[in-house]
Amino acid sequence: MPTQPLTQQNFEQVIATHAIVLVDFWASWCGWCTRFAPIFADSAAAHPEIVHATVDTEAEQALTAAAQISSLPTLVAFREGLLVYSHPGFQTAAQLEEVIQQIRWLDMDEMRRQLGAQNPAVTPPAPPMPRAGAAAGRPNYGWPGLSPG
């Protein structure tokens, strides 16, 4: 699946309606961004069940400011509507794959408990459907940190 451009108009809807969303904040003048773009596109092709989205920080300045992006490229990830990962800087294909596997194996019930404990006034969004364990995906992935032998 190709990458999907996000704008201020569709950002929240895409995050809310997909199990896992990776977002690459980039700019055309950023050399590291242009190096990361093909890695991100290859990941999108390898993981069609995960939305691989891009935000052009020059065109979407309000969205970039709202996301508090201060370094490019920056990769952020959402699972079941919750922000679960944010990392500024270039990542290799292997590093990106490791991030994806870690996101798949997150215990979302525990994430929600932690979020609620940090700020009891904030009620985290409910997932679209109850889930436990690993997110849907390729059946041949393993435990995080283990490489296929």
Side-chain angles (χ1 to χ4, degrees), residues 1-3 22 36-52 75 92-101 104 138:
M1 172 182 283
T3 60
L22 301 177
F36 183 63
I39 293 169
F40 197 64
D42 289 346
S43 178
H47 299 283
E49 72 285 1
I50 297 174
V51 174
H52 285 66
L75 180 68
T92 65
Q95 290 169 325
L96 178 57
E97 184 63 25
E98 179 65 22
V99 167
I100 289 170
Q101 298 310 324
R104 287 185 195 279
R138 296 185 306 196

Side-chain angles (χ1 to χ4, degrees), residues 59-137:
E60 296 295 330
Q61 293 179 6
L63 180 56
T64 302
Q68 300 178 346
I69 303 301
S70 60
S71 182
L72 297 177
T74 293
L75 180 68
V76 298
F78 297 86
R79 178 156 168 209
E80 299 175 13
L82 296 176
L83 176 65
V84 296
Y85 178 83
S86 179
H87 178 78
F90 177 81
Q91 293 187 38
T92 65
Q95 290 169 325
L96 178 57
E97 184 63 25
E98 179 65 22
V99 167
I100 289 170
Q101 298 310 324
Q102 288 179 11
I103 291 168
R104 287 185 195 279
W105 283 99
L106 280 175
D107 181 342
M108 293 309 293
D109 292 333
E110 179 61 24
M111 290 288 295
R112 284 186 207 77
R113 278 193 292 277
Q114 288 177 8
L115 182 61
Q118 290 173 3
N119 190 352
V122 175
T123 305
M129 48 197 280
R131 296 175 187 206

